[in-house]
Structures are given as C-alpha cells and as structure tokens.
Amino acid sequence: MKTLKDVLQEAERKKVAVGHFNFSDLVAFSAIVSAAHELNFPVMVGVSEGERAFVGVRQAAALVRSVREEYGQPIFLNADHTHSLAKAEEAAKAGFDEIIFDGSRLSFEENMVQTKKAVEAIKSIDPTILVEGEIGWIGASSEILEKPPEDVGVLTTAQEAKQFVDASKIDVLAPAVGNMHGLLQSMVHGETEKRLDIQRIAEIKAAAGIFMTLHGGSGTHDEDFQQAIRAGMTIVHVNTELRLAWRRGLEHVLHAHPGEIAPYKLLPDVVGAVSEVVRKRLRLFNLR
Ligand SMILES: [Zn+2]
C-alpha cells in the first residue's frame, strides 16, 4: 500500500491534487469513500478537533483502516486543525497519516516555536506521519457566514513561508492565498466565488519547496482551483460544501418521507447528495 507521501509525490509530479474532505458521521464518511472508490482516485479524509470529539479519535482511525484493508483503497486520515500538543500526540498514537498543527492564531514567532515542538513530538511517536503547519489567517469555521471573519485577506509572503518551513521542519505548508474557511451567504448559490492569488501560490511554492495545502476550498472558482493546483497546491480541502449538501439532503428526505423512522432507509439519499459534491470536486482536482 502506498503511503500518503508516495501519493502526494505522484500528485505533485502529475500536477493534480489529492482531495481532502471532512466527516463527522458515517453518512459523510461513506459518501467520500464511495465517490473516491468509484472514480479510483486517492483521497484524504479529515477530522477537526470538534469532529474528532464526536466521531472518536481511535474510531476515526479504525474506520479508515477498515476501508484500506477491505478494498485496498488509498485513503488517508488527517487530524485537521489541531491546536494542542496533547491532541496531536493522541492522533499520532491512534495511527493518523497526517496531523495539522494549527498555530495560525499565535504570533508568527510563537507559531514557529510551537509548530517545531509539535513536529518533534509527532515524529518521535511515528516518523512517517506528515506534519502540516499553517501561516496566515483564513478564519476557522466551516459554516455559512454573514461576512468574512476579521483580518482575513492578508496574504502569506514567500519570505515568511521559507522562514517558517526552515525553522519548523514541517512536511506540508498551509498558506493564506485568498482562500477562506466557510462560505459567505452570497457563495451558497454561487452569486460570488472565492478567487485565489495564483502568482503568490507559485512564489510561495518556489520559496518553501514542500507540499502545500489549499484550505477552505468550498466556493472557489473552478479555474482558480486548477491554476492553484498547477502552481503548487497538492492537497485541497473541502468541508462546508459537504456540510451544506448533508443538511439539504437530510431536510429533503425527511420532508419526502414523514412517516419513515429507519435511519438506514432515509440516510442513503443523504449519502448520495454528499457523494455528488465529492465526485464533482475529485474530478476537477484530478483534471490534467
Ligand atoms: Zn482548514
């Protein structure tokens, strides 16, 4: 079985990206697994601290392991936006493939110090785990927002990226390049879309020289996704779009079957709704 590093190297070479999708229940998990299986693409699944608290850290790891073992599917588990060393170590011990230590709310200097510590702690548990660090502020919640969070829009510079990577020894970098977590109301129906600074992505990639992740992919212009991937983004995160499809799918099926109470009869429709979003994104991220 290929490791996550193998899969990322291959994606980087082909100038495609590995789709990363979050889950917090079996509906979203099954939707992601079935879409990736059908299209035969490697995929990453992520659980944030909040999602992990609901799913269970070891339970998330067991789910991913079971899919790998049963189907030989290249699926990898990421501890998304981890804010403490204790939670990073917990995920490392449970067998996660990647851990994002997110110190983006700290000062740049403090973020470097804390991320370096996290890299050392995680690698001492398992040196094969990839550690991602994050610089710049792109908001924190994968929700529908009234307005952009304060201070979003300041972009990472190539110089900051290089300094951060050199000091922290991370494997993967998440910069701020016009991306943002969550969706604005105007993006829900596609009246507006997120636009990325492609030139900046290329500069940061050249300076940092490591894998990069585009966070907050939901609602991004299709062409910008493709150009961002060609410019150096090897992992692309999508969460809010899945949550939106989950909610709409659930409302629709409950409304259509007011007397039905068996979850396994109602929820396949919701799996289908979420899966459609994942398929669409995976196809786009893997276009060559
Ligand atoms: Zn993120």
Side-chain angles (χ1 to χ4, degrees):
M1 173 68 71
K2 284 179 190 161
T3 64
L4 176 58
K5 193 175 178 181
D6 297 333
V7 164
L8 294 178
Q9 279 169 342
E10 201 175 318
E12 190 174 59
R13 215 167 36 242
K14 291 181 181 166
K15 296 210 177 294
V16 298
V18 178
H20 172 294
F21 306 95
N22 291 66
F23 71 96
S24 50
D25 71 352
L26 269 179
V27 168
F29 183 76
S30 306
I32 299 161
V33 168
S34 70
H37 189 69
E38 185 191 318
L39 297 172
N40 199 23
F41 290 134
V43 74
M44 292 177 73
V45 288
V47 273
S48 65
E49 286 188 354
E51 288 160 343
R52 260 176 278 170
F54 184 67
V55 176
V57 175
R58 294 178 60 178
Q59 287 69 23
L63 274 174
V64 170
R65 205 159 39 238
S66 73
V67 171
R68 263 190 237 181
E69 285 170 6
E70 189 166 356
Y71 306 106
Q73 203 172 333
I75 174 170
F76 303 96
L77 180 59
N78 173 41
D80 206 7
H81 298 289
T82 306
H83 300 284
S84 73
L85 208 51
K87 288 211 158 59
E89 287 172 338
E90 188 187 16
K93 286 175 187 157
F96 281 51
D97 300 286
E98 201 210 316
I99 294 171
I100 301 182
F101 184 81
D102 180 1
S104 63
R105 271 181 280 197
L106 305 169
S107 71
F108 183 73
E109 295 295 326
E110 192 57 22
N111 188 5
M112 262 191 306
V113 171
Q114 296 302 328
T115 304
K116 182 173 189 281
K117 269 192 202 161
V119 170
E120 288 165 357
I122 292 163
K123 302 277 184 183
S124 76
I125 294 168
D126 180 352
T128 69
I129 296 172
L130 299 185
V131 184
E132 180 171 328
E134 184 161 344
I135 46 176
W137 175 242
I138 60 162
S141 70
S142 299
E143 311 264 357
I144 311 299
L145 309 168
E146 291 294 329
K147 57 178 177 34
E150 215 161 304
D151 297 329
V152 163
V154 180
L155 305 191
T156 301
T157 66
Q159 191 201 349
E160 279 170 341
K162 179 165 174 38
Q163 192 187 349
F164 190 83
V165 169
D166 287 349
S168 64
K169 305 276 184 289
I170 47 170
D171 305 288
V172 186
L173 176 70
V177 291
N179 48 333
M180 182 189 85
H181 285 121
L183 278 176
L184 297 179
Q185 279 292 355
S186 60
M187 293 169 177
V188 171
H189 299 289
E191 294 121 49
T192 64
E193 288 179 304
K194 294 177 195 167
R195 303 304 305 256
L196 306 170
D197 189 330
I198 306 301
Q199 181 61 32
R200 185 65 67 97
I201 294 169
E203 287 166 16
I204 296 171
K205 176 71 180 178
I210 61 169
F211 298 123
M212 300 208 304
T213 299
L214 180 71
H215 281 254
S218 294
T220 302
H221 189 65
D222 278 4
E223 181 68 20
D224 283 17
F225 266 136
Q226 285 182 268
Q227 289 191 25
I229 292 164
R230 281 188 214 117
M233 289 294 182
T234 306
I235 302 170
V236 180
H237 281 220
V238 178
N239 188 2
T240 313
E241 287 180 5
L242 273 65
R243 289 181 170 183
L244 190 61
W246 173 88
R247 165 108 201 183
R248 283 181 177 159
L250 189 59
E251 281 175 350
H252 185 264
V253 76
L254 291 177
H255 184 75
H257 304 279
E260 183 58 66
I261 60 163
Y264 70 89
K265 290 182 182 170
L266 292 165
L267 295 176
D269 277 12
V270 192
V271 172
V274 176
S275 202
E276 203 178 308
V277 175
V278 178
R279 272 199 303 272
K280 192 174 135 219
R281 287 319 189 189
L282 280 177
R283 279 200 192 99
L284 183 67
F285 300 162
N286 285 279
L287 272 182
R288 294 168 71 180

